[in-house]
Amino acid sequence: MVNPVPAFPAERRRIRVSTSGEDVLLRLCLIALGLFLVVGLVLPIYTLLSKGVQDADGNFVGLQNFVRYFNEPRVSVVFFNSLRISILSTIITLTIAGVYAFALTHSRMPGRGFFRAVALMPLLTPSLLPGIALIYLFGTQGFFREALFGHSLYGPIGIVMGEVFFTFPIALMIVLTSLLTIDRRLYEAATTLRAGRVRTFFTVTLPAMRFGLSAAFFAVFTKVFTDFGVPITVGGAFPVLATDLYQKVIGGFDFQMGAVVGILLFIPAAIAFLIGHLLQRGRSAGIDGSAVIYIPEKSRGRDIACFAFCAAVALAILGILLMAVLGSLFKLWPYNLGLSLSSYNFTEHESSGWGAYRNSLKLAGGTALFGTALIFFGAYLLERMPGAGWMRAVLGFLCMVPLAMPGMVLGLSYIFFFNNPSNPLGGIYGTMTILILSTVVHLYTVPHLTALTALKQLDPGLEAVGSSLKVSRFVTFGRVILPVSLPTILRIASYLFMNSMTTISALVFLYSANTKVATISVLLLNDNAMLGPAAAMSVLIVATSAGVVSLQWLLMQGLLRRTGAWRGRET
Amino acid sequence: MVNIVEPAAGPPQSDRTESTAPVPALQISGLSKSFGSFTALRDIELAIETGEFVCFLGPSGCGKTTLLRAIAGLDVQDYGTILQNGRDISGLPVHARDFGIVFQSYALFPNLSVAGNVGFGLLGSGLSRPQRKARVEELLAMVGLGDHAGKYPAQLSGGQQQRVALARALAPSPGLLLLDEPLSALDAQVRLHLRDQLRQLQRDLGVTTIMVTHDQDEALAIADRIVVMRQGEIEQVGTPEEVFTHPATAFVAGFLGDMNFIPGVATDRNVISAGTFEFQVPDMSGDDLAGQVSLCIRPADIMVGEFSDDTPNRLDARVQSISFRGNYHRLLVNCPRISQNLEIEFRDQGQNGLVIAEGAPLTIALPPENLVVFPTSPAFAPS
C-alpha cells in the first residue's frame, strides 16, 4: 500500500460531473448578471475610453486629445485646482474625524450616542445642500460673511467647507471602525507594563488608527476629487475637474474634451481607490472578531476637552442643516426674513413643479427594488454557487469597479454608449430606465460587499445539506438563505433608496425633461438664483432620506423581534 | 526487423465470478484528485460493506475529508469510479446520489424549527402531511429530542444540535450516512456520550456509515473498520484491533496510540542492533527489512522490575522523569546502551519493593513478541 503509484495514469478518463437542470439554471442566472455588468458597466466604459483617443469623426488619433487638452493654458490649472482642493479637504476632514472618533471611543463624555448620530447626518444630504447652506451663512449676503475676513466664499474656501461637511461621516465611520477593533487587553497589557498615558497613545491607539486614517484618506480623497455638488454651488469662478467636465459637455457639447476630462477624473480616483482597497484588505486580515471592547477610565480633563470638541463639530453640522431648513422657510432672503412655506410651492418656481420630487421617488423606489434583488442574488451566485470559478472571479472583480468609477464619468460614458444611433438599447436613453440602470451600477459595490459579508457568515454546508436531501438550491435559497438574510436585504434596500435620493453626479448627463429628479431640480433652481426653493427641495430630499432610514430602523426592530427566537443575539 | 506485439498493458481481467459475492455498499477504485499541484487523493481503492461503520482516520490534510466529499459529490474526483450498490455514481451531482450528511458545523437551518429542519428533506418525498409529521416525530424520539420539536437551533445545546443534524440526515432513510467530524465541536463529556449513542443508533438502523475523524480514540471506539490515511493515500484498512496491534506501517503505529521508536540495523533475521545493544525480535525473514529499520514498542508493553537472566531484551535504565496519569505513571527513562529515552506506562502492581524515583536505576525488558519492526521510511520521521 505504500508502493508509489503514478498519480494519474494517462489512459484513465477524467470524471465529468453530469450537469443537472438546476446547474444550467444557476449558470444562466450568472450569465444574466454578467450581461448586466457588461451592458451597464464594461461597454460604456470602453466607449468612453475609446472616445478619448478618437476625433469628432471617430478616427483614431492616439493621445492627441490629451495633448490638446493640456495645451489649453487653463487646463493644468483646473487639474491642480482639483488636486489641491482634494488634498486640503481630506487633511482637514481626517483631522476632525480622527479626534472625533477618538472622543467617541476613548472618553466617557456624556452624549456619545447623540454625537455619533449627528455626525452621520450628512449622509442623508445631497452634496448640493452644504453649498446652499454655506451661501446663506457666508455668501455675499450671508449672516456670518465677516467671519471670512473679506475673503469670498465662492471658490476654494466654500468648496473645502462644503466637502468637509459632506465627507466627514465617511471618514468618521472608517476611523471609528479601526478604533473599535483595538483590543482592551492591549491597554491592560500596556498598563501592567507601566506605560504612561502618552506612551500608550503612541504605541497602542495611534498605530491602530493609522490604518483607518490611511484608508479614510483615500476614500475621502476620491469622494472630494470627483464631487460635483459642492463646487457647482459654491465654486464660483474657481474651476475644478467635475465642474469643468459639466461645462464642456452641457455647455460646450465638446464630447471629445469631455471624454478626456472624464478619463482624467477617473484615473486618480481609480488609483486612490486601489490603494485604499489594498490597505483595507491587508488590515482586515489582522482583525479577528474576538477583540474585547475597550472601556476608557474616567478622566475629567479629557472628557471635558472631548465634549467641547464634539459639541463644536456637532454644532457646525447641525448649523448647516438648520440653515438649509431656515433658508427654505424665509419669505425672500435676504430682504424679507419672515417665515413662510412659499418656497415649497414648487409649481411656482419651476415648470416641472413637484414632478422632480415624484421622479426622485420613482428613481429611488426603482433602484431599491430592482437593485436589491439584483445585487443580493448576484452576490449569492458569486459567493455560494459551486463551480464556474473563472466566471465568478471575473464578475466578482467587475462588481468592485463601480466604487472606483466617479458618477459623472459613468454618466458621460452612458451618453456615449446609449446615445449612439447604432445601439439597439438606445431606446432607453432619456427614460427613467437609464436613470435607474446608471444608479444601480453607480451604487453597486457597497451593497454588494454588504451582501457578500452576510452570505459568507452563513454556514457553507446549508446548500450541500439541502442537495443531499434532494431539495433544489432555489428552494433552499427561498426557504433558508432569504429569510436569514432579511436584515441585510433591508439594509441594502435602504442604502440604495437613500443614495438614489441624494445622488446627482451620473444623472446630470442623463436626465431629460420628463425624468428630471429632485437633485437636478436643486441644481437648476440654484443656477437660476432661486436659493429658497433650492433649499426647500434639498430639505425635502433630506427629510425623505431620514424617513426611509427611520422606516428601515422600525422594520428592522419588528423583524428582529419576530425572528429573535432563532436569531439569538444579533443586531 | 520483427515487431513483437505485446499484449495490451493493464491489469489482467479476473475471471472469478462475482455473482455470488454480495455487492459492496460502496466500491471505490482508482480515485484521484488534486487541487492545483497538490495531490489530495492518490489512487484510492476501498470497498465498504453494507451496514458497516467505517472511520476515515488521519492527520489534517491527509485527504480524509476530500474522500468523503468525493463520495458525496461535493468535490468530485478527477479520476476513478465510485459504485454505490453496484450503481456508478462517479459523476452524479449531489442531489442524484443517495446519502445523508452531517457536517462538523451541523449546518442547521437557523430559521427553521427542529421539526422544520428534520422534515426539510421530506417535503418532496411524496409523503402526506400527517405521514411527514409522524416521520419527524419518530426521528426526534429516536435521537431523544421528542420534547424539542418547536425549538430553534440557536436554543439548543451543541449536543442537541448535533442530534438534530443526525435526525435530518436520516429522515429520508438514505442508504449511506456520511459524518464529517460530527463530534469534534463538542465538549469532551458530551462527545463520549454521543459517541456511544451514535454507535448504538447506527447498529439499530443498520445504515452503512462513514465517519471522518482525526481522533484515534474515537475511531478505535466506534468503528467496525478503520481506514488510516496519510498524504492522500490509504496506509492501512482494518478492524480497530488489527490497526492497533498490527500496524502495517510505522506511520500507523505512531498515529494510533503512543509508540517508542528505536532506530536500528537488522543484522540477522531475528536480531536488530541499536547502539551497543542487540534486540531479539520475531523472525523477519519473510519481510524485506535490510539495513536501517525502526523498532517499535508501545509504552504499556515495556516491563519494569526484576527479571531472570534468560529474559530477552533486558536493558539498564535510569528514570528521567515521572508524571502521574491517574491509572498509571508515565516514566521517561534513559537507556545508555541504545543512547535513547523510552516512554513507559508503569502500573504499580507491587513489584517486590521497586523504587521508582527520579534518578533511580531500573531494569526494563522489551518482550520480543511486542516489538514491531518497520523499514525506516524517509517520508516519515518518528518523533
Side-chain angles (χ1 to χ4, degrees):
Chain A
M1 258 163 242
V2 286
N3 294 343
V5 180
F8 310 124
E11 72 271 17
R12 246 189 283 167
R13 196 171 49 89
R14 217 185 150 84
I15 293 290
R16 291 196 63 85
V17 188
S18 43
T19 44
S20 58
E22 182 185 301
D23 288 331
V24 173
L25 206 53
L26 278 170
R27 251 149 248 230
L28 284 179
C29 290
L30 200 62
I31 290 170
L33 175 69
L35 275 180
F36 173 84
L37 289 169
V38 165
V39 171
L41 187 68
V42 177
L43 290 178
I45 295 179
Y46 170 76
T47 320
L48 172 79
L49 293 179
S50 60
K51 277 279 187 279
V53 292
Q54 286 173 358
D55 65 13
D57 301 323
N59 302 313
F60 180 78
V61 292
L63 296 178
Q64 197 183 304
N65 288 329
F66 290 87
V67 174
R68 204 178 104 209
Y69 182 82
F70 277 102
N71 281 338
E72 272 183 51
R74 219 172 64 96
V75 153
S76 51
V77 176
V78 176
F79 184 79
F80 287 107
N81 277 353
S82 275
L83 214 56
R84 279 213 306 275
I85 290 292
S86 306
I87 291 172
L88 189 62
S89 310
T90 307
I91 290 171
I92 297 176
T93 307
L94 287 192
T95 313
I96 302 176
V99 178
Y100 203 91
F102 178 83
L104 285 181
T105 53
H106 285 64
S107 84
R108 295 178 64 157
M109 63 173 181
R112 294 195 297 278
F114 170 79
F115 285 133
R116 199 184 162 141
V118 169
L120 297 183
M121 284 171 91
L123 290 177
L124 304 173
T125 69
S127 65
L128 297 153
L129 182 135
I132 291 168
L134 286 172
I135 294 173
Y136 281 110
L137 288 167
F138 304 110
T140 34
Q141 311 282 342
F143 293 110
F144 304 105
R145 56 184 175 276
E146 294 83 5
L148 298 182
F149 300 110
H151 295 286
S152 168
L153 170 76
Y154 299 95
I157 297 180
I159 299 180
V160 171
M161 286 167 87
E163 296 292 7
V164 170
F165 170 87
F166 182 56
T167 55
F168 176 67
I170 300 166
L172 182 72
M173 283 196 296
I174 299 175
V175 179
L176 210 51
T177 311
S178 72
L179 278 175
L180 283 174
T181 50
I182 306 180
D183 198 313
R184 182 177 79 199
R185 286 165 292 197
L186 284 179
Y187 289 103
E188 289 166 354
T191 314
T192 58
L193 294 168
R194 310 229 175 105
R197 246 192 227 172
V198 178
R199 196 162 154 226
T200 307
F201 177 82
F202 280 103
T203 50
V204 178
T205 314
L206 203 60
M209 263 174 110
R210 210 156 46 206
F211 284 102
L213 283 173
S214 38
F217 181 92
F218 293 104
V220 171
F221 177 88
T222 316
K223 200 87 189 162
V224 177
F225 193 78
T226 60
D227 180 52
F228 169 70
V230 173
I232 200 72
T233 42
V234 291
F238 184 83
V240 293
L241 279 176
T243 47
D244 195 35
L245 174 59
Y246 180 66
Q247 258 123 35
K248 282 223 159 39
V249 173
I250 299 296
F253 289 103
D254 188 346
F255 287 101
Q256 264 57 48
M257 280 301 100
V260 169
V261 180
I263 292 166
L264 287 180
L265 201 58
F266 176 46
I267 291 170
I271 293 172
F273 160 79
L274 266 180
I275 300 174
H277 188 65
L278 289 177
L279 272 177
Q280 266 182 328
R281 176 178 291 182
R283 179 64 182 150
S284 59
I287 297 176
D288 60 351
S290 60
V292 182
I293 289 171
Y294 172 63
I295 300 162
E297 293 162 41
K298 273 209 171 89
S299 160
R300 215 174 140 71
R302 180 200 60 201
D303 290 355
I304 289 174
C306 286
F307 184 83
F309 179 83
C310 291
V313 174
L315 200 66
I317 293 171
L318 286 174
I320 285 179
L321 286 170
L322 270 176
M323 191 64 247
V325 176
L326 265 180
S328 73
L329 294 173
F330 291 141
K331 274 205 179 102
L332 189 61
W333 179 80
Y335 311 108
N336 182 350
L337 298 186
L339 301 184
S340 86
L341 284 173
S342 64
S343 289
Y344 288 86
N345 197 353
F346 296 116
T347 21
E348 277 178 24
H349 314 297
E350 251 209 310
S351 52
S352 58
W354 283 82
Y357 180 68
R358 276 197 300 274
N359 277 338
S360 263
L361 291 182
K362 271 187 218 160
L363 169 66
T367 305
L369 210 67
F370 173 64
T372 307
L374 178 81
I375 293 170
F376 185 80
F377 192 63
Y380 171 79
L381 289 176
L382 294 182
E383 177 62 31
R384 298 184 74 91
M385 186 181 140
W390 65 269
M391 193 166 164
R392 283 159 61 205
V394 170
L395 293 188
F397 170 76
L398 286 184
C399 290
M400 295 304 299
V401 173
L403 201 57
M405 276 294 279
M408 292 191 82
V409 178
L410 190 69
L412 186 66
S413 69
Y414 271 41
I415 301 185
F416 290 137
F417 181 64
F418 287 102
N419 198 20
N420 186 331
S422 62
N423 187 336
L425 294 169
I428 69 167
Y429 195 72
T431 65
M432 186 55 84
T433 311
I434 198 171
L435 295 194
I436 293 176
L437 178 67
S438 73
T439 311
V440 169
V441 172
H442 179 43
L443 299 174
Y444 200 100
T445 307
V446 172
H448 170 71
L449 292 175
T450 310
L452 276 189
T453 311
L455 289 168
K456 269 194 177 69
Q457 283 166 357
L458 298 184
D459 194 302
L462 291 178
E463 287 92 347
V465 167
S467 294
S468 79
L469 296 170
K470 313 214 181 327
V471 174
S472 144
R473 276 180 170 266
F474 290 97
V475 174
T476 310
F477 178 81
R479 285 199 60 202
V480 179
I481 308 287
L482 212 56
V484 172
S485 306
L486 260 189
T488 305
I489 290 170
L490 205 55
R491 220 170 279 145
I492 291 174
S494 144
Y495 175 91
L496 287 175
F497 192 99
M498 199 177 87
N499 282 281
S500 321
M501 278 309 289
T502 56
T503 189
I504 181 163
S505 50
L507 307 180
V508 286
F509 293 133
L510 298 176
Y511 77 92
S512 69
N514 293 327
T515 58
K516 192 167 77 183
V517 293
T519 44
I520 300 292
S521 173
V522 175
L523 175 73
L524 299 178
L525 287 166
N526 181 55
D527 261 2
N528 296 331
M530 286 197 271
L531 205 53
M537 191 62 95
S538 310
V539 170
L540 209 54
I541 293 171
V542 178
T544 311
S545 305
V548 169
V549 172
S550 315
L551 186 68
Q552 182 222 333
W553 188 81
L554 279 175
L555 284 175
M556 195 76 100
Q557 295 304 309
L559 187 70
L560 293 182
R561 203 171 325 110
R562 264 192 46 208
T563 61
W566 55 265
R567 273 185 206 283
R569 275 174 47 79
E570 194 187 324
T571 45
Chain B
M1 196 172 161
V2 180
N3 283 321
I4 298 167
V5 181
E6 288 188 307
Q13 297 294 314
S14 75
D15 290 326
R16 65 197 159 95
T17 47
E18 292 186 33
S19 54
T20 48
V23 179
L26 211 60
Q27 173 86 55
I28 297 169
S29 41
L31 203 76
S32 296
K33 178 161 185 71
S34 48
F35 297 104
S37 61
F38 173 72
T39 306
L41 293 174
R42 190 191 295 267
D43 232 27
I44 300 292
E45 304 279 341
L46 183 65
I48 294 172
E49 303 304 326
T50 305
E52 250 192 320
F53 197 129
V54 172
C55 273
F56 293 172
L57 176 69
S60 58
C62 72
K64 56 189 191 297
T65 297
T66 310
L67 182 54
L68 188 87
R69 291 179 68 85
I71 294 168
L74 293 167
D75 286 321
V76 174
Q77 71 277 15
D78 299 329
Y79 301 95
T81 53
I82 304 175
L83 303 184
Q84 188 175 12
N85 299 319
R87 181 172 79 125
D88 189 349
I89 59 165
S90 308
L92 289 186
V94 178
H95 59 80
R97 302 185 182 205
D98 174 28
F99 70 93
I101 190 164
V102 175
F103 288 108
Q104 184 177 358
S105 62
Y106 316 137
L108 294 176
F109 304 125
N111 61 321
L112 301 181
S113 65
V114 167
N117 267 282
V118 175
F120 196 82
L122 299 174
L123 273 182
S125 62
L127 295 180
S128 69
R129 185 187 266 273
Q131 282 173 318
R132 288 202 305 266
K133 192 162 180 291
R135 174 77 179 138
V136 168
E137 277 168 8
E138 178 194 349
L139 284 156
L140 285 178
M142 189 175 74
V143 296
L145 289 173
D147 303 335
H148 298 74
K151 287 192 180 170
Y152 290 102
Q155 297 167 317
L156 301 178
S157 72
Q160 291 171 329
Q161 293 183 12
Q162 198 265 354
R163 283 181 282 161
V164 175
L166 189 61
R168 179 179 65 180
L170 291 171
S173 310
L176 178 66
L177 179 62
L178 303 177
L179 308 169
D180 185 7
E181 308 231 6
L183 301 168
S184 60
L186 299 169
D187 296 339
Q189 290 272 322
V190 184
R191 185 154 63 207
L192 289 183
H193 175 65
L194 279 184
R195 186 168 88 187
D196 298 340
Q197 253 201 345
L198 187 61
R199 182 64 181 129
Q200 193 55 49
L201 195 65
Q202 192 270 342
R203 284 251 163 81
D204 294 346
L205 295 175
V207 56
T208 312
T209 302
I210 300 173
M211 180 167 99
V212 162
T213 180
H214 62 265
D215 183 338
Q216 29 126 345
D217 289 336
E218 203 167 280
L220 290 172
I222 207 169
D224 292 323
R225 279 198 303 158
I226 295 178
V227 177
V228 185
M229 297 182 66
R230 177 170 73 114
Q231 293 177 357
E233 293 183 49
I234 293 180
E235 290 270 308
Q236 187 175 6
V237 182
T239 64
E241 293 78 11
E242 278 167 6
V243 291
F244 190 82
T245 53
H246 302 293
T249 64
F251 171 80
V252 176
F255 193 75
L256 281 131
D258 297 323
M259 187 66 87
N260 289 298
F261 288 89
I262 305 166
V265 180
T267 49
D268 197 357
R269 63 181 175 80
N270 60 351
V271 178
I272 285 172
S273 75
T276 62
F277 192 82
E278 300 219 314
F279 283 100
Q280 306 274 319
V281 297
D283 196 318
M284 311 180 285
S285 48
D287 305 315
D288 180 23
L289 288 169
Q292 293 288 325
V293 294
S294 281
L295 198 58
C296 300
I297 185 163
R298 299 216 180 265
D301 291 339
I302 299 180
M303 315 217 313
V304 176
E306 304 278 320
F307 303 101
S308 60
D309 286 352
D310 56 355
T311 309
N313 299 341
R314 265 176 306 126
L315 271 170
D316 287 328
R318 192 172 287 278
V319 179
Q320 294 267 353
S321 66
I322 307 172
S323 68
F324 180 58
R325 299 288 171 88
N327 295 330
Y328 62 94
H329 284 84
R330 158 81 32 140
L331 310 182
L332 188 67
V333 304
N334 182 261
C335 309
R337 292 200 60 188
I338 58 170
S339 23
Q340 188 179 344
N341 291 341
L342 294 178
E343 287 194 349
I344 301 174
E345 263 179 50
F346 175 64
R347 283 176 168 74
D348 190 356
Q349 282 141 351
Q351 284 100 325
N352 5 339
L354 203 62
V355 182
I356 304 286
E358 283 186 16
L362 210 61
T363 309
I364 61 172
L366 282 60
E369 65 271 23
N370 290 333
L371 287 171
V372 193
V373 185
F374 297 109
T376 300
S377 153
F380 177 68
S383 52

